[in-house]
Amino acid sequence: MLAFAEPLSLIPTKGFSFKNSKVLNWAYCDSSKPGRSTTSERWVLHSTMEYARSVIARTGVGKLSIETLNEVAEEMFQEFQDLGLGVSKPFFSKAHRWGSAFPAESRAKEEKCLWEREKRLAICGDFCVSPSVEGAICSGLAAASKLVEILSCL
Ligand SMILES: Cc1cc2nc3c(=O)[nH]c(=O)nc-3n(C[C@H](O)[C@H](O)[C@H](O)COP(=O)(O)OP(=O)(O)OC[C@H]3O[C@@H](n4cnc5c(N)ncnc54)[C@H](O)[C@@H]3O)c2cc1C
């Protein structure tokens, strides 16, 4: 997470994904979420799986030292700044490792939920689609529609 004293006004959106970066996958403006403090502008950056793998290859899977986390925060910030969208120096930056954040595969990419018609059992969650609130909601909606479908046949 990066915190800036002033808004990054040249960035025209509050969340976006990166297409050609080896380091960054996703960026969103945490302070634009409802109910968050607006005293500073805070951005959360997610790394690519490729970059996370390279850190793990260098450091192992154990708890990371403060020095390594600072290095990672700096590398991710540099990539964000290289966008060329007037990203100023943050007054706060901190990296952390978020275990299990990138499942290798979605469990129900097509159907978006697990569905046992005979048992009338729908199982939903981010693991079915993608590791985000959006993934969890899509999966929940798919499970609800399976149940509505079966109820309407009764
Ligand atoms: C630190 C962190 C920050 C995140 N930030 C973001 C973000 O900014 N934007 C974004 O899109 N996503 C973010 N995510 C990911 C997002 O939170 C998840 O993708 C989403 O919450 C998954 O929803 P879910 O309903 O599938 O699972 P969960 O939210 O994990 O819900 C599962 C529920 O099941 C309950 N449960 C588990 N086992 C049992 C049991 N045996 N019996 C009964 N209940 C049980 C749990 O208590 C929990 O309430 C973040 C995740 C983390 C960890």
Side-chain angles (χ1 to χ4, degrees), residues 1-6 8 11 16 18 24 26-31 40-46 69-70 72-83 87-96:
M1 174 175 284
L2 305 168
F4 300 91
E6 300 295 330
L8 303 183
I11 299 183
F16 57 93
F18 291 74
L24 294 180
W26 211 41
Y28 61 85
C29 180
D30 193 69
S31 43
S40 62
E41 184 160 294
R42 296 174 304 283
W43 283 78
V44 172
L45 309 178
H46 283 195
L69 288 173
N70 288 343
V72 165
E74 184 56 28
E75 280 173 3
M76 291 177 74
F77 165 66
Q78 282 305 329
E79 186 79 1
F80 191 50
Q81 199 173 41
D82 287 351
L83 280 174
V87 174
S88 51
K89 192 91 186 138
F91 68 82
F92 171 89
S93 79
K94 188 170 184 185
H96 75 108

Side-chain angles (χ1 to χ4, degrees), residues 26 28 30 33 46 96 98 124-127 130-134 136:
W26 211 41
Y28 61 85
D30 193 69
K33 291 179 179 174
H46 283 195
H96 75 108
W98 175 13
C124 56
D126 61 351
F127 67 98
S130 63
S132 65
V133 170
E134 186 185 351

Side-chain angles (χ1 to χ4, degrees), residues 6-149:
E6 300 295 330
L8 303 183
S9 48
L10 291 182
I11 299 183
T13 178
K14 295 300 178 196
F16 57 93
S17 53
F18 291 74
K19 289 280 173 243
N20 296 313
S21 171
K22 288 186 182 336
V23 176
L24 294 180
N25 179 43
W26 211 41
Y28 61 85
C29 180
D30 193 69
S31 43
S32 70
K33 291 179 179 174
R36 303 295 164 103
S37 158
T38 50
T39 51
S40 62
E41 184 160 294
R42 296 174 304 283
W43 283 78
V44 172
L45 309 178
H46 283 195
S47 83
T48 56
M49 196 189 297
E50 184 184 359
Y51 178 75
R53 279 208 175 108
S54 76
V55 175
I56 290 170
R58 230 164 55 213
T59 63
V61 290
K63 194 169 163 30
L64 293 180
S65 66
I66 300 286
E67 292 73 31
T68 305
L69 288 173
N70 288 343
E71 251 173 58
V72 165
E74 184 56 28
E75 280 173 3
M76 291 177 74
F77 165 66
Q78 282 305 329
E79 186 79 1
F80 191 50
Q81 199 173 41
D82 287 351
L83 280 174
L85 287 172
V87 174
S88 51
K89 192 91 186 138
F91 68 82
F92 171 89
S93 79
K94 188 170 184 185
H96 75 108
R97 179 176 278 170
W98 175 13
S100 315
F102 302 113
E105 61 178 54
S106 312
R107 294 310 305 259
K109 212 168 188 149
E110 298 301 320
E111 284 213 290
K112 300 192 175 5
C113 67
L114 305 177
W115 175 231
E116 291 273 353
R117 194 181 174 85
E118 286 69 40
K119 294 181 184 155
R120 297 181 192 165
L121 174 68
I123 299 174
C124 56
D126 61 351
F127 67 98
C128 290
V129 181
S130 63
S132 65
V133 170
E134 186 185 351
I137 290 173
C138 284
S139 182
L141 289 172
S145 83
K146 293 283 184 200
L147 293 170
V148 166
E149 196 182 297

